[in-house]
Amino acid sequence: MARLVALTRYVQVPSPCVSLTPILGSSRKWAGPRRRQDQRTRAERHRSTDTAWQSQMHLLTDAYLQWKHGKNVDVDPPVGPVYRFKVTAIHTHGEVLFSTRFCCSLISSCCRLVPQPSDVEANVALIRCGLLGCTPVQPTVAIALDCLELYHQLRRRQSSFSVQAMVKVLCAMNDVTYAQHLHDLFSAAFDVYLGIKSQVRHTLNVALGRAGPGWRAQFACPPCGFKQDNEPMLSPARLHAMDGNNSVKRVEGSGHADPRVFDSDYHILPVEVDRFKDDVGSCADRGPAVPPPRVDHDDAANAAECTRRWKAVNDATGEGSVRAFDQTGIFICACRHGIVEFFTEMAKYPLAVTNRLIDTYGDDQAMGHDIACSFKTTVARSSIGDKATRHRLQLTVNAFHGHAHNHLYQLRNHPLYQKKYGLEDLETCERIFSASNAVTRTIRFASHFHWLQLIDLHFNQWNRNRYLELGRFSYNNYRQALAIIEEYTPLVDAFKNERHLEDSDFERWIEEEHEYLQSLSKEPDEDVLKVAYVESILDLNSTHRPPTILTQTSADFGNADHTRANQAMARATLAERQSLLRKLKVAMEAVDDIKRRMGLTERMAEDSPVYREAYSYYMNRRFIRAVEALERLVIQRLFELSKANLSGTGYKLRRQISNAIARRSEAVRTALRKYNELAPLQTPPRPTLDYSEVASYGWLSDFELLKHSQHGILDKPWSSPICRELMNKYFKLCCAHVEIERLNVEVPRLQAWVDSDAPHILATAEKLMDSQPLLSAELRELYSECCRVNNVIRVQLQKLYVLPGYTGPRLMTVTISSDGDGQKQGAMLPDEDDQLNEEALSLEETVSRMAR
């Protein structure tokens, strides 16, 4: 009652509309005695404000629905006396520029009298008038819900558009100087508005039966999760990609006074992540009581070599490093259609993402990761290793990142050679990060609450955009697969007929190459001793000097004609002689030691066949090391070039990448000179290369053929460039057929979803018409949006059904309007297909030419 008495002093208002400038405090003149100083800390004030907002959140949600749908629903009149209080309202009004209820032709402010029943909170009364206060108890400034919704939609479409930018726009429109307290007021109101929208969305999900744990992750992507009866089984059941992004950082200590916790459906809580912090080490310390899961020996043997090429597995964040960020980035998991499934804020613990993926989706899941080579070992040694084995989790490298892995590892794990992944490159995360980089500039110094809130808002809109593109994704992938089949099938068939080959021969070539490289992966001990012996002989020969240097006598220091300079030269000569004698002694002992280890009784003659063979192997070994150094530099340059123009990359990072490319180019030239010096000395001699040839290398197989050209490898069919090109086309052709098989399962799932989604929402709305009319009205609005979006997908699916070469089921499409009427479009008859297809394709080509 005291609050209501305090508000009654605002009943009399001298003018219905006043300027915004004096009300929002742009003038700093003294206006009376100073206020009582608040002794609470900032954290205590935030906690008190949040508690006050949360206590009335359910009332605000009901009032929001009443304001939004009150014209269409009968609402009970207020009971008891009605008071009025004054607020400064910032809102949007004027000429309607859009067909929606939100308009933005003029942004202004004015004083308004707000009616408040005696049993209603002040902000509830404000929301019923289309306003939302900036404080929970006694609001004096309120922002129109239209204005907050306008910023909400702007922020969804442009993640870099900050609250500060929006407030500055409002100030410019009202001729007011921007001040920080204006930003704080708008930010507080926007947080509450998002909370109301979240409550409404949760209420809708409960009514639709979609509020269960994991429902969003399971069915957010209908082609992946909306399984149908009697459909063919897919293996893998789903395709996922995961990766980390360290651009989404948050500076340590930012917003430390904000104690709020944001509840995100995408976010894996730190409590669940921290249990894997020392998981691998603790599992290793427990000993062999439980046998570890089986690990592919090829992967384990080559993981170390791949690891050296990846920064992600070489963690430079040690105890001596400076801690500057509370959140160093995010680690996300997304399906192959680009829909984000979940993320964690600790980019160094992908085990938590893997554990959540297994718990949510179950058996036969496939995951692409750029460092899958080492991550396989990490999973096998962790506490979830046995679970991953039971659920048949498959880990593989991404298509683009896979080319930087050891070629022996590629032959077993690259998506091209596995075929079961179709045409999917598993590089989804790179596309997601290219868009999410826009939000980084607004959250670097935000509180943890706002950091998580804005990332969640961005991913929510991202998933909506990807859902809208599901029909286009299916159509484009199907058309791409058909184009590959049409182009590559004649080439592969002609090559097989010319060489009298079968499909099994291409598979055999991959096995032969893998076996050959596997035999070279570990150097025999005998060859290691030969190399050590040759190196020791060469070191011994390098220590020899002309006999005069080792046996010369000291100068006659008794002669008075010798100067001090000559005496110093004599001492230097003596020191050099003693140093050479020590080196010679060490080299002779090294030669004798290796000779005993090789079982030789006397030193090899340099013209003996055994020594010549060992020397030839030694020179080839140096050549291999030179090729490996050149290979590493070229691959690093390839990745730097790929990121030079990445969308959202900052100016400083672009400068660093450009400088790194310049340095890498010079290093490549240096390594190339060393290669060209050793190439003619090989048996048979290897051709020299110029810079333009090496810079164009993108496959490690090119370097592998350079390394091992001897031992008859050039006689193998898979070493021929033509054979390798046709072999890759064959595997690409196989992947295209697998892609069509997967799409023939995913397309009916998508069609079934768009046909059942809107009717389910409409049926729920009609069911709640009498008991919860406001919620029913909100469901009808959701139904209208669902019809609009799903009709876009139906159009793309209809284009797919008439595509020449489509072999999947041609299901009936039903275009549903927002008023509930449906217009059925049945599958075309066989004799109608050709004519209509030709007309549709002709029209599409004409429109495309006009668009160019």
Side-chain angles (χ1 to χ4, degrees):
M1 189 63 184
R3 176 179 56 82
L4 298 177
V5 172
L7 293 176
T8 56
R9 67 176 183 271
Y10 295 116
V11 172
Q12 300 297 326
V13 181
S15 173
C17 183
V18 297
S19 173
L20 180 65
T21 302
I23 294 177
L24 296 185
S26 60
S27 175
R28 299 182 179 275
K29 295 181 180 180
W30 181 80
R34 301 182 65 180
R35 290 185 177 183
R36 177 181 61 85
Q37 185 176 3
D38 194 344
Q39 300 297 326
R40 298 175 299 173
T41 63
R42 178 175 295 181
E44 291 173 342
R45 292 198 298 270
H46 276 293
R47 189 176 296 107
S48 176
T49 302
D50 183 57
T51 302
W53 279 119
Q54 294 302 324
S55 64
Q56 52 184 306
M57 184 59 68
H58 66 287
L59 299 175
L60 298 178
T61 303
D62 294 339
Y64 172 77
L65 292 177
Q66 181 179 345
W67 166 80
K68 190 175 182 180
H69 305 290
K71 297 180 180 179
N72 303 323
V73 178
D74 295 333
V75 181
D76 297 334
V79 179
V82 177
Y83 301 91
R84 296 181 181 275
F85 65 96
K86 182 184 68 173
V87 294
T88 301
I90 303 174
H91 56 88
T92 60
H93 66 87
E95 180 183 358
V96 178
L97 300 182
F98 305 98
S99 59
T100 63
R101 64 179 296 132
F102 303 110
C103 51
C104 57
S105 63
L106 177 64
I107 301 177
S108 63
S109 66
C110 65
C111 287
R112 290 188 57 178
L113 286 176
V114 179
Q116 179 186 8
S118 58
D119 59 341
V120 173
E121 298 286 344
N123 274 294
V124 173
L126 283 171
I127 287 184
R128 290 176 178 176
C129 297
L131 302 171
L132 179 60
C134 299
T135 53
V137 179
Q138 294 183 357
T140 58
V141 178
I143 302 176
L145 295 176
D146 292 354
C147 183
L148 292 172
E149 179 62 19
L150 173 64
Y151 177 66
H152 177 223
Q153 296 300 330
L154 288 173
R155 185 60 189 250
R156 278 182 168 275
R157 272 67 185 182
Q158 184 59 42
S159 299
S160 60
F161 190 66
S162 62
V163 171
Q164 184 185 59
M166 182 65 181
V167 174
K168 286 185 175 181
V169 169
L170 294 174
C171 290
M173 297 296 293
N174 290 276
D175 196 21
V176 174
T177 302
Y178 171 80
Q180 180 62 34
H181 73 278
L182 303 178
H183 170 279
D184 297 339
L185 291 173
F186 191 93
S187 178
F190 186 66
D191 288 344
V192 177
Y193 183 73
L194 289 182
I196 294 173
K197 299 283 286 187
S198 177
Q199 284 289 108
V200 172
R201 185 169 61 251
H202 176 72
T203 305
L204 293 179
N205 289 336
V206 172
L208 294 171
R210 301 175 178 179
W215 190 96
R216 182 202 56 79
Q218 188 72 32
F219 297 103
C221 181
C224 290
F226 198 57
K227 297 181 180 180
Q228 301 298 297
D229 297 334
N230 302 322
E231 68 177 17
M233 182 177 297
L234 293 177
S235 181
R238 285 193 181 205
L239 300 180
H240 311 265
M242 70 175 186
D243 200 1
N245 180 19
N246 59 6
S247 297
V248 193
K249 298 183 177 73
R250 188 179 74 86
V251 175
E252 182 181 15
S254 299
H256 63 279
D258 189 352
R260 293 175 294 176
V261 178
F262 185 81
D263 184 17
S264 172
D265 193 23
Y266 299 92
H267 185 226
I268 301 178
L269 297 177
V271 176
E272 184 177 348
V273 176
D274 288 340
R275 60 182 283 243
F276 298 102
K277 182 177 181 180
D278 303 313
D279 187 69
V280 176
S282 61
C283 289
D285 295 338
R286 287 196 292 266
V290 178
R294 184 180 62 84
V295 183
D296 195 315
H297 295 290
D298 295 344
D299 298 342
N302 294 281
E305 182 175 351
C306 293
T307 297
R308 292 195 299 269
R309 304 178 183 179
W310 295 98
K311 181 180 178 181
V313 293
N314 297 314
D315 186 6
T317 308
E319 295 181 356
S321 60
V322 179
R323 178 180 172 86
F325 301 99
D326 273 342
Q327 278 71 40
T328 58
I330 58 175
F331 200 94
I332 72 170
C333 181
C335 74
R336 85 183 194 111
H337 300 90
I339 293 180
V340 178
E341 295 165 334
F342 28 76
F343 72 90
T344 175
E345 62 188 61
M346 299 180 183
K348 297 301 180 184
Y349 305 130
L351 285 175
V353 175
T354 306
N355 183 62
R356 173 68 68 87
L357 183 139
I358 295 175
D359 292 342
T360 304
Y361 302 114
D363 299 339
D364 295 318
Q365 302 300 311
M367 181 183 296
H369 190 20
D370 51 10
I371 54 171
C373 52
S374 61
F375 188 60
K376 281 185 178 181
T377 306
T378 301
V379 171
R381 295 175 55 197
S382 68
S383 60
I384 64 173
D386 185 58
K387 178 195 289 187
T389 303
R390 291 196 316 270
H391 291 278
R392 300 183 296 277
L393 177 67
Q394 305 173 38
L395 291 171
T396 188
V397 294
N398 309 336
F400 178 73
H401 289 84
H403 294 313
H405 284 264
N406 174 270
H407 187 61
L408 182 61
Y409 181 84
Q410 289 185 45
L411 294 176
R412 281 288 184 265
N413 297 274
H414 196 279
L416 176 65
Y417 301 123
Q418 296 196 57
K419 298 186 296 184
K420 57 186 175 182
Y421 300 118
L423 298 178
E424 179 57 40
D425 58 7
L426 300 175
E427 295 287 355
T428 311
C429 295
E430 299 299 328
R431 306 179 186 99
I432 296 175
F433 294 150
S434 181
S436 66
N437 284 343
V439 77
T440 58
R441 64 198 68 179
T442 62
I443 61 176
R444 183 61 52 87
F445 297 95
S447 65
H448 184 265
F449 175 85
H450 285 129
W451 181 84
L452 194 54
Q453 177 197 68
L454 297 178
I455 292 177
D456 180 272
L457 183 64
H458 172 83
F459 283 151
N460 183 272
Q461 184 60 40
W462 169 270
N463 282 359
R464 290 189 180 187
N465 296 340
R466 298 286 72 75
Y467 176 81
L468 181 64
E469 296 293 330
L470 287 177
R472 189 186 303 274
F473 178 95
S474 301
Y475 174 77
N476 290 339
N477 276 32
Y478 215 106
R479 189 171 62 174
Q480 179 189 9
L482 291 176
I484 291 175
I485 293 174
E486 181 180 2
E487 179 183 359
Y488 287 175
T489 299
L491 297 176
V492 174
D493 290 344
F495 182 77
K496 290 193 298 183
N497 294 333
E498 179 184 353
R499 301 293 182 93
H500 305 289
L501 299 174
E502 301 292 339
D503 291 345
S504 58
D505 292 322
F506 295 109
E507 308 283 350
R508 178 174 54 82
W509 289 356
I510 289 293
E511 294 298 328
E512 288 182 0
E513 185 177 4
H514 182 271
E515 292 176 1
Y516 176 78
L517 296 178
Q518 183 68 27
S519 65
L520 298 175
S521 60
K522 183 178 180 181
E523 200 171 14
D525 295 338
E526 181 181 357
D527 292 340
V528 174
L529 288 176
K530 288 181 180 180
V531 171
Y533 181 78
V534 173
E535 289 178 344
S536 62
I537 291 295
L538 295 177
D539 291 340
L540 178 61
N541 295 337
S542 66
T543 58
H544 282 294
R545 290 292 186 272
T548 55
I549 297 180
L550 296 178
T551 59
Q552 64 182 346
T553 58
S554 302
D556 185 6
F557 295 101
N559 191 337
D561 295 335
H562 286 285
T563 61
R564 293 182 178 180
N566 293 334
Q567 293 176 4
M569 184 179 299
R571 288 194 295 269
T573 302
L574 181 62
E576 181 183 2
R577 183 180 65 179
Q578 293 175 349
S579 176
L580 288 174
L581 287 173
R582 287 193 299 269
K583 291 181 179 179
L584 180 61
K585 182 178 180 181
V586 171
M588 293 176 65
E589 290 177 352
V591 171
D592 293 338
D593 179 66
I594 297 177
K595 184 179 65 176
R596 287 192 299 270
R597 294 169 61 184
M598 295 180 64
L600 301 176
T601 56
E602 58 182 11
R603 190 178 303 173
M604 292 184 188
E606 295 187 7
D607 57 350
S608 64
V610 179
Y611 181 83
R612 289 179 179 177
E613 181 183 356
Y615 182 77
S616 177
Y617 181 79
Y618 165 74
M619 293 300 295
N620 180 257
R621 193 169 182 264
R622 289 183 59 197
F623 177 71
I624 292 176
R625 299 296 181 268
V627 175
E628 288 178 345
L630 183 61
E631 165 195 348
R632 183 180 66 255
L633 294 171
V634 171
I635 293 300
Q636 290 173 351
R637 180 179 179 275
L638 179 66
F639 274 88
E640 286 157 357
L641 286 173
S642 69
K643 294 185 178 181
N645 296 316
L646 183 65
S647 175
T649 303
Y651 170 76
K652 292 183 178 179
L653 182 57
R654 288 200 305 270
R655 287 290 304 272
Q656 292 178 359
I657 293 176
S658 300
N659 294 335
I661 292 175
R663 292 192 301 269
R664 194 79 64 203
S665 299
E666 185 60 31
V668 169
R669 296 180 188 275
T670 302
L672 183 60
R673 285 194 294 270
K674 186 175 182 180
Y675 164 83
N676 287 333
E677 293 175 358
L678 296 173
L681 304 178
Q682 304 308 304
T683 305
R686 300 298 296 135
T688 58
L689 303 173
D690 56 24
Y691 180 79
S692 60
E693 290 181 282
V694 175
S696 64
Y697 281 3
W699 287 73
L700 295 196
S701 56
D702 299 327
F703 295 100
E704 295 294 334
L705 295 179
L706 289 176
K707 294 179 193 177
H708 309 297
S709 59
Q710 74 282 9
H711 305 299
I713 187 176
L714 296 181
D715 298 332
K716 303 291 185 180
W718 45 265
S719 65
S720 169
I722 297 178
C723 293
R724 296 188 67 82
E725 181 181 357
L726 267 297
M727 180 176 64
N728 289 337
K729 281 181 168 47
Y730 164 77
F731 282 103
K732 193 77 170 180
L733 189 61
C734 295
C735 291
H737 286 288
V738 174
E739 179 72 16
I740 289 180
E741 293 176 3
R742 180 171 290 273
L743 288 172
N744 286 341
V745 175
E746 291 181 347
V747 168
R749 292 178 179 178
L750 181 59
Q751 182 70 69
W753 174 267
V754 298
D755 289 342
S756 62
D757 187 24
H760 173 61
I761 297 175
L762 182 60
T764 306
E766 293 176 350
K767 181 180 179 180
L768 299 175
M769 177 71 72
D770 297 330
S771 59
Q772 302 183 56
L774 293 176
L775 183 59
S776 177
E778 185 69 17
L779 283 170
R780 286 186 175 275
E781 185 174 294
L782 178 63
Y783 168 78
S784 177
E785 178 185 358
C786 179
C787 291
R788 173 176 53 84
V789 173
N790 287 343
N791 285 339
V792 174
I793 298 177
R794 288 188 180 94
V795 171
Q796 295 296 329
L797 292 179
Q798 185 62 30
K799 290 175 58 179
L800 175 59
Y801 295 154
V802 300
L803 189 67
Y806 176 74
T807 58
R810 287 177 169 83
L811 303 178
M812 180 181 298
T813 60
V814 181
T815 303
I816 303 178
S817 60
S818 59
D819 58 1
D821 296 332
Q823 180 182 0
K824 297 185 179 180
Q825 298 178 354
M828 295 183 181
L829 297 176
D831 56 351
E832 297 176 327
D833 277 346
D834 295 338
Q835 181 179 359
L836 293 180
N837 286 348
E838 291 176 359
E839 293 178 359
L841 292 175
S842 177
L843 178 61
E844 182 179 1
E845 292 175 0
T846 303
V847 173
S848 300
R849 286 194 298 270
M850 294 175 62
R852 298 193 190 103

